[in-house]
Amino acid sequence: MKEDKKQFETEAIRTQIESTHAQEHSTPMYLTSSFTYEDAEEMRAAFAGENDKNIYSRFSNPNLQEFVDKVCTMEKAEAGYAFASGMAAIFSTFAALLSSGDHIISCRSIFGSTHTVFGKILPKWKIDTTYVDIDNTGDWDKAIQPNTKILYVETPTNPAVDIIDLEWLGRFSKKHNLILVVDNCFATPYLQQPIQYGADLVIHSATKFMDGQGRVMGGVTVGKKELIDEIYAFSRSTGPALSAFNAWVISKSLETLAVRMDRHAENALKLAKFLEKSEFVEWVKYPFLKSHPMYEVAKKQMKSGGAVVAFGIKGGLESGRTFLNNIKICSLTANLGDSRTIVTHPSSTTHAKLSEEERIKVGITPELIRVSVGLEHITDIITDIEQALKAAQ
Ligand SMILES: *Cc1c(COP(=O)(O)O)cnc(C)c1O
C-alpha cells in the first residue's frame, strides 16, 4: 500500500504501471505470453524470485499488476491475484487454502455456482460446508467444528439483498480463529471495504460492476499477504489467471467505478421508492430503504445501497413470468452489474431446477423479481417496469 494515500476516485484513475519509452498516456496492452532477459544472470534471478521481473503471463503480467494494484488500493488490501472469472477466484482461493478434511461455514444464500463448488466439488476432497442463515446469527456458534477453517459470506446477498453486520462478523471470525472471506461483488470496493472490519480476504467477480458494461469476465482475490502468497503459488501452477486483454479492459473501467456506482445507486433508490408505492408490488427490499430489516447496518457499512433492488410482484409465479414477457427496454439476461438495467425472475429461470423448498431456504420466493438497475434515465426505467407490472396483473 502506498504511503501518500489519495482519495478513492483519484487512486482509481491514477494507479498506473510505469509508461514505456513511447511515453503513452493510457496504459498499453501487454499481449505477450512471456518476457525476456538481458542475460542468464537476470533470468536466473527472476526465476529465483530475487527481482520483480515478469516471467510468464500465467504468473504475472503488467496489465494484471495494474488491475490488482488498483483493487488492493480500493480495498485497503496488502496483496492480490487476478483470475479469469469470479468463480476461478472463488475456487482457487478455497483450493489453495484448504486441505482434505477442512470445514467451511457459509451463509446460505450465496451465488449459485459457489453453491455448486461447496456442495459438489469440494466434497470430492472431503471438504464440507455447513450453511448458516445470514439473518439469524444467534446460532452460528453451533456450526463451528474443530476443523472449521474458513467463514464465507456475501453481503448484500444475491438475489434477496440481505445484509450482515460486518463488524460483528469480523469479531466472530477473530474469536474463533477463522479465515474470513467476503464476496464483495454486489457492493464493490467503492461502497464497502470488508477488510476494515476484519475480513482476511475479499473476492470479486470483476465481470459485474468492475467491468460494468457486460463485456469481459474477470475475478480477483485481495487481502492478507501471507494468504495471497499461498493463492499465488497455487494459481501460478494451475493456470486460472486473467487474460491481459481483460485486465486492461477492467482496469480502465475501474477509473469510472465511483461515478457509475453513484448513478446506479441513485437510480436504484428512486426505483425502490417507486415500487414501495406501487399497488402491484407486495414488498420491496433495498439496503437504503428504511423498511430494510438491516437498514441501520447498511447505513453504517455501505456508502450507498448499491444497484440491486429485489421486490415481490403481486400474483406470484405466473405474474413474474408475464412481467418478464412484457418488459420492453430492460434486458432479460443472467448477468448483473451492467450499464443496462437487467430484470430477472429467479424462481422461473435461474433457480427453476431447485425444489420450491430449496428455493425458499435461500430466499427465492415465487414472487421475487431482481432488478440490477442500470444507467439509463431513471424515468425510462420506471416507465418500462411500471407498464410491465400493469400488464402482469
Ligand atoms: C457473478 C458472481 C460470481 C461469479 O463470478 P463470474 O465472474 O461469473 O465467474 C460470484 N459471486 C457473485 C456474488 C456474483 O454475482
Side-chain angles (χ1 to χ4, degrees):
M1 229 188 306
K2 281 191 221 134
E3 292 302 321
D4 55 339
K5 190 100 177 72
K6 296 172 200 74
Q7 297 298 313
F8 185 96
E9 292 83 346
T10 313
E11 293 283 8
I13 291 166
R14 292 290 170 182
T15 301
Q16 205 169 347
I17 48 170
E18 235 173 84
S19 62
T20 71
H21 62 278
Q23 294 184 274
E24 70 281 350
H25 189 203
S26 171
T27 299
M29 263 187 247
Y30 287 84
L31 297 185
T32 177
S33 316
S34 63
F35 300 84
T36 58
Y37 306 96
E38 291 295 332
D39 51 32
E41 170 50 25
E42 192 182 60
M43 189 165 183
R44 183 207 61 77
F47 276 81
E50 291 168 15
N51 60 28
D52 57 5
K53 296 274 172 195
N54 290 302
I55 298 173
Y56 192 60
S57 286
R58 167 149 48 79
F59 307 177
S60 67
N61 171 291
N63 290 124
L64 275 68
Q65 193 57 50
E66 180 180 291
F67 167 53
V68 168
D69 284 350
K70 265 188 204 181
V71 179
C72 284
T73 308
M74 291 173 162
E75 290 283 7
K76 301 187 177 66
E78 294 168 3
Y81 187 84
F83 296 92
S85 68
M87 285 323 301
I90 291 169
F91 175 71
S92 304
T93 298
F94 281 91
L97 299 178
L98 294 178
S99 305
S100 182
D102 283 341
H103 176 244
I104 302 163
I105 296 177
S106 168
C107 67
R108 198 179 303 281
S109 57
I110 48 171
F111 187 69
S113 298
T114 312
H115 228 286
T116 307
V117 169
F118 290 169
K120 295 214 164 81
I121 297 172
L122 294 180
K124 291 207 266 189
W125 296 288
K126 300 199 167 27
I127 296 166
D128 289 323
T129 302
T130 301
Y131 289 109
V132 291
D133 290 317
I134 202 164
D135 51 1
N136 181 17
T137 51
D139 50 23
W140 280 33
D141 280 306
K142 289 187 208 131
I144 293 176
Q145 300 175 11
N147 56 341
T148 305
K149 195 155 175 203
I150 289 183
L151 180 57
Y152 183 82
V153 299
E154 286 177 21
T155 181
T157 61
N158 177 29
V161 284
D162 287 317
I163 281 180
I164 187 161
D165 186 341
L166 286 170
E167 199 178 338
W168 176 87
L169 192 66
R171 279 201 306 269
F172 180 85
S173 76
K174 199 149 274 148
K175 183 175 146 207
H176 297 285
N177 200 22
L178 305 173
I179 300 171
L180 175 57
V181 183
V182 178
D183 181 334
N184 201 26
C185 172
F186 267 45
T188 82
Y190 179 57
L191 304 189
Q192 168 177 287
Q193 291 139 16
I195 289 174
Q196 87 183 75
Y197 298 104
D200 300 293
L201 293 171
V202 172
I203 299 183
H204 285 280
S205 164
T207 315
K208 311 296 166 55
F209 297 101
M210 285 194 169
D211 171 45
Q213 290 146 87
R215 300 168 298 182
V216 299
M217 309 283 302
V220 63
T221 301
V222 299
K224 287 219 173 92
K225 182 159 188 316
E226 66 199 66
L227 298 173
I228 295 294
D229 284 347
E230 285 183 57
I231 293 166
Y232 170 72
F234 173 88
S235 304
R236 146 179 175 148
S237 293
T238 55
L242 182 63
S243 78
F245 176 80
N246 287 9
W248 181 87
V249 171
I250 299 165
S251 184
K252 274 276 151 206
S253 276
L254 286 177
E255 294 186 14
T256 56
L257 181 70
V259 282
R260 285 187 285 111
M261 291 314 293
D262 279 343
R263 180 62 67 85
H264 276 298
E266 187 187 319
N267 282 354
L269 184 61
K270 282 182 185 156
L271 175 68
K273 285 185 171 161
F274 159 79
L275 290 169
E276 260 191 332
K277 291 204 201 91
S278 167
E279 57 182 309
F280 308 122
V281 168
E282 272 180 16
W283 52 264
V284 185
K285 209 130 146 240
Y286 180 70
F288 269 36
L289 276 186
K290 286 207 179 74
S291 56
H292 192 289
M294 296 292 270
Y295 171 73
E296 292 301 331
V297 173
K299 281 268 178 186
K300 180 181 74 175
Q301 68 195 27
M302 296 174 76
K303 193 184 175 83
S304 76
V308 181
V309 178
F311 71 92
I313 186 167
K314 271 196 189 144
L317 197 67
E318 238 357 273
S319 294
R321 234 181 294 223
T322 319
F323 172 78
L324 287 195
N325 284 337
N326 283 281
I327 282 290
K328 293 193 169 78
I329 296 173
C330 304
S331 311
L332 273 51
T333 179
N335 201 16
L336 66 97
D338 196 304
S339 54
R340 297 146 196 256
T341 299
I342 295 166
V343 293
T344 52
H345 180 230
S347 60
S348 73
T349 57
T350 49
H351 294 70
K353 274 200 225 123
L354 299 183
S355 71
E356 168 109 20
E357 194 191 348
E358 284 173 311
R359 279 198 294 267
I360 303 284
K361 258 192 171 173
V362 293
I364 295 162
T365 46
E367 75 281 8
L368 171 75
I369 305 275
R370 186 193 75 187
V371 188
S372 170
V373 184
L375 304 178
E376 302 96 336
H377 197 285
I378 185 58
T379 310
D380 295 324
I381 298 172
I382 289 179
T383 304
D384 191 26
I385 289 177
E386 186 175 27
Q387 63 80 25
L389 278 171
K390 261 192 205 136
Q393 294 306 307

